[in-house]
Amino acid sequence: MAPSEDSTDCSIVDTVVGMGYDDEYRGWYDVNGCGVCNQYCRWVGWFGIGGDPFEQIAYESRYWACQTGTEVYNTDFRGQPWTALKCPTPAPSIVDP
């Protein structure tokens, strides 16, 4: 997902709300191209995970959502191919306040 002027939110997530389903895809991403991994993304909804977000970001009653500093379940990227890579750790300012 490429950032756009009207959807770029580079604010930091203070507390993750809803960790999502425990799978290899949930975690920290730089969704908006801010240069830091400060958005937490995960599968939410009913009945488990939906697989690799590079392949699909919605599946039956579940969807891929990212928490930004201002939105808990941001899905502004729906309808676009997922391109953000998972980061090994969150932004340093999240780990070391």
Side-chain angles (χ1 to χ4, degrees):
M1 174 184 156
S4 64
E5 291 179 24
D6 58 342
S7 68
T8 302
D9 177 2
C10 293
S11 55
I12 294 173
V13 173
D14 292 325
T15 303
V16 174
V17 177
M19 295 298 290
Y21 291 99
D22 185 9
D23 68 0
E24 64 188 280
Y25 305 108
R26 76 175 182 177
W28 297 96
Y29 292 80
D30 179 12
V31 176
N32 291 329
C34 300
V36 292
C37 299
N38 58 355
Q39 293 97 25
Y40 182 82
C41 302
R42 70 282 197 212
W43 282 101
V44 296
W46 299 98
F47 309 116
I49 65 172
D52 187 345
F54 277 97
E55 295 178 15
Q56 61 189 4
I57 55 174
Y59 179 72
E60 295 179 358
S61 61
R62 59 212 103 155
Y63 61 96
W64 185 247
C66 297
Q67 181 177 344
T68 66
T70 57
E71 291 185 73
V72 175
Y73 296 107
N74 181 307
T75 59
D76 287 348
F77 48 82
R78 288 179 90 171
Q80 301 174 38
W82 181 257
T83 60
L85 298 176
K86 184 176 179 184
C87 304
T89 59
S93 58
I94 296 171
V95 177
D96 300 317

